Amino acid sequence: MIEERFDAIVVGAGMAGNAAALTMAKRGMKVLQLERGEYSGSKNVQTAILDADIVEQLAPDFREDAPLERRLVEQRFWLMDRRSHVGLRYRFNDCNDERPNRYIVIRALFDKWFSRKVREAGATILYQTTVTELAQNRRGRVIGVRTDRQDGIIHADVVVLAEGVNGLLGTCAGLRERPTPDQVALQVKEMHLLPRETIEARFNLKRDEGIVIEAAGSISRGMNGMGFIYANRECISLGIGCLVSDLQRTGETPYGLLNRFKRHPSVVPLINGSELKEYSAHLIAKRGYNTIPQLRGKGWVVVGDAAELNNTSHRGPLNVAMISGRIAAEAIFRVKSRGGRSTSNSFSLYKKMLNESYEDLKKYKDMPALMHTQPDNFLLTHPQLVSKAILNFARIGGRPKAGEEQSDSKSFGDVWSWTGIFGNGFRLPRAWR
């Protein structure tokens, strides 16, 4: 039984949990971090984009030994129909210098490195330890945790919940509601091994350059979802995610969507001849600013995916998670250094600091509702019509048949009307402002 008392207990060793534990440990606080996996990242299957500016605030020298796959130099977006795609590409020449500010990382590797930094800062970490219950006193204040390792309570002044989007501690304790199927997406991913030289040739890359492709359209079968392709050092991460509620409604299977995506004519040349290394799935929070739950209470705060802090219009949930973990830790340290108690009011500082840092969450707060309103238009009809328009423009060897022209014109007229594209065009800027 652990008899000692801690300044803080962090439940979870993902991006948010590691950021919180590292920040508090560097401040000299006595920190215990509990992780149910064999090591930090053992249960994480994501490939993600890392913002260097955010990591530098936690580990200024991270470029020296962190497991970075490639520096991100180009972003591509595909609008897909069944057989083709219309693409946009943006080259990040303004940040392609000696100290790039965006990297592609494989979370299983990066999280393990991140956890080592937490240990080096002085925090105590227990792996393969499941927190079974939040311990509360008679006044409802959280005073520590119970685990599957021992009897009794491990006491702490504050507990940081960084347990992920499907964590049950907070919901079982009545501190927050469990996400509903329309608030989470199920993402499935495959990792395809290829020689480094082959990847660089297929994506037109040099040395450590990296590319991310995001894809929308018919691949999600009219559901709210997107596909993605990451060019890593010696593998390609390929996957797709859709709202759980849409999967329930349509009866579509995640692996069925993924199989159709990787068989698309635009995708096949990129993974042809590769060796499939792994298949994995995980849940992603898909709420926005309008539905952020309660973030703090008596003796507890919640961070990262557990707090459903997610920018629905920009990439980088791991970056948002790191920010929330760091800010929560800084707020906890300030309260403790002033001799204050861990009350709900004292942790209002966390919410205030978070609001100042998350302007983008407010800016794009209406995007989820917009995408839920008419997903068929955004993800099926518009991609098909754009593809037809480009095909007709580029057609060689004669014009389309009269019947096809009339059919296409009617389709365009139905959608590119005030109730169609103009209506969407009016709602989109309002959601984006």
Side-chain angles (χ1 to χ4, degrees):
M1 181 175 177
I2 300 178
E3 299 290 349
E4 57 186 319
R5 183 184 184 91
F6 294 88
D7 293 325
I9 293 175
V10 179
V11 181
M15 284 297 201
N18 283 334
L22 179 60
T23 301
M24 289 187 289
K26 281 187 169 183
R27 299 277 193 171
M29 295 177 63
K30 191 175 183 180
V31 179
L32 173 65
Q33 187 176 34
L34 304 172
E35 165 60 35
R36 62 190 177 94
E38 294 181 36
Y39 54 87
S40 177
S42 64
K43 296 183 178 297
N44 199 303
V45 298
Q46 284 183 299
T47 303
I49 299 172
L50 188 74
D51 189 317
D53 296 337
I54 295 173
V55 185
E56 282 181 324
Q57 297 179 44
L58 299 162
D61 59 348
F62 80 96
R63 291 183 179 86
E64 296 180 5
D65 59 350
L68 307 172
E69 287 296 299
R70 291 180 180 271
R71 57 191 175 94
L72 184 63
V73 299
E74 187 173 301
Q75 170 72 41
R76 299 178 187 175
F77 180 79
W78 288 356
L79 192 61
M80 308 180 77
D81 65 10
R82 282 193 317 109
R83 298 285 302 169
S84 57
H85 79 268
V86 177
L88 297 173
R89 58 196 297 173
Y90 180 78
R91 189 84 175 179
F92 300 105
N93 291 320
D94 58 336
C95 57
N96 189 14
D97 52 24
E98 294 181 358
R99 294 174 64 83
N101 66 2
R102 291 183 181 180
Y103 293 92
I104 298 172
V105 296
I106 295 175
R107 288 287 305 277
L109 302 176
F110 189 86
D111 286 15
K112 192 174 184 179
W113 169 88
F114 205 173
S115 184
R116 188 175 77 244
K117 293 296 181 181
V118 175
R119 191 183 307 108
E120 291 172 356
T124 300
I125 307 176
L126 293 180
Y127 300 114
Q128 295 181 292
T129 303
T130 300
V131 177
T132 57
E133 185 183 359
L134 292 175
Q136 297 174 276
N137 63 17
R138 293 180 179 178
R139 297 180 180 178
R141 182 180 181 276
V142 173
I143 58 174
V145 300
R146 291 185 174 89
T147 75
D148 60 352
R149 274 185 174 242
Q150 61 182 47
D151 295 326
I153 300 172
I154 307 176
H155 289 86
D157 294 336
V158 61
V159 174
V160 180
L161 295 173
E163 53 181 339
V165 64
N166 57 342
L168 297 177
L169 276 178
T171 54
C172 289
L175 306 180
R176 62 189 181 94
E177 296 181 359
R178 190 170 186 176
T180 57
D182 64 334
Q183 296 167 344
V184 291
L186 178 61
Q187 186 180 93
V188 291
K189 185 200 77 173
E190 290 182 350
M191 191 170 287
H192 294 256
L193 298 180
L194 279 170
R196 181 170 185 160
E197 298 78 11
T198 302
I199 293 174
E200 291 171 358
R202 291 182 180 181
F203 289 88
N204 192 27
L205 301 173
K206 297 178 182 178
R207 299 183 302 280
D208 61 342
E209 293 180 342
I211 282 178
V212 172
I213 300 172
E214 292 177 326
S218 61
I219 55 169
S220 64
R221 312 278 288 184
M223 297 182 288
N224 281 288
M226 292 189 70
F228 59 87
I229 301 172
Y230 287 80
N232 305 315
R233 187 177 302 167
E234 294 181 334
C235 65
I236 294 174
S237 299
L238 178 147
I240 189 170
C242 290
L243 282 179
V244 172
S245 58
D246 283 352
L247 292 170
Q248 293 176 335
R249 174 178 56 82
T250 62
E252 294 282 350
T253 60
Y255 60 84
L257 293 173
L258 181 58
N259 283 337
R260 279 191 289 270
F261 181 40
K262 70 180 184 180
R263 290 200 303 265
H264 192 279
S266 298
V267 177
V268 170
L270 299 178
I271 61 173
N272 188 38
S274 63
E275 175 188 350
L276 178 59
K277 180 182 179 182
E278 67 180 28
Y279 173 88
S280 53
H282 70 284
L283 291 174
I284 301 175
K286 284 297 180 184
R287 289 189 179 190
Y289 182 83
N290 291 332
T291 53
I292 292 176
Q294 185 176 352
L295 298 177
R296 87 282 185 203
K298 297 178 181 179
W300 62 273
V301 298
V302 59
V303 297
D305 283 352
E308 298 167 40
L309 294 168
N310 182 56
N311 191 331
T312 55
S313 300
H314 282 185
R315 302 179 311 276
L318 77 165
N319 300 308
V320 176
M322 281 190 291
I323 293 173
S324 70
R326 176 182 58 79
I327 289 178
E330 290 176 352
I332 292 169
F333 175 76
R334 291 187 190 183
V335 170
K336 184 173 179 59
S337 63
R338 293 199 301 251
R341 288 179 55 82
S342 302
T343 65
S344 179
N345 287 336
S346 64
F347 290 141
S348 62
L349 176 62
Y350 166 45
K351 185 65 161 54
K352 180 178 181 294
M353 294 169 64
L354 205 59
N355 283 338
E356 293 172 354
S357 297
Y358 282 169
E359 287 301 320
D360 276 356
L361 289 182
K362 298 178 186 179
K363 183 177 180 180
Y364 305 117
K365 59 185 174 63
D366 295 324
M367 285 300 292
L370 175 63
M371 292 304 297
H372 291 186
T373 302
Q374 291 180 312
D376 285 354
N377 270 0
F378 284 106
L379 301 173
L380 279 179
T381 307
H382 293 343
Q384 291 169 359
L385 293 179
V386 170
S387 181
K388 283 184 179 180
I390 298 296
L391 176 61
N392 289 339
F393 176 78
R395 188 187 296 265
I396 298 176
R399 296 178 55 79
K401 296 178 181 178
E404 293 178 357
E405 278 192 314
Q406 292 175 359
S407 177
D408 288 353
S409 297
K410 183 179 186 304
S411 298
F412 274 91
D414 290 342
V415 179
W416 294 76
S417 63
W418 173 252
T419 57
I421 190 63
F422 291 113
N424 291 337
F426 175 74
R427 288 188 293 270
L428 185 60
R430 289 179 59 86
W432 202 270
R433 66 186 180 183

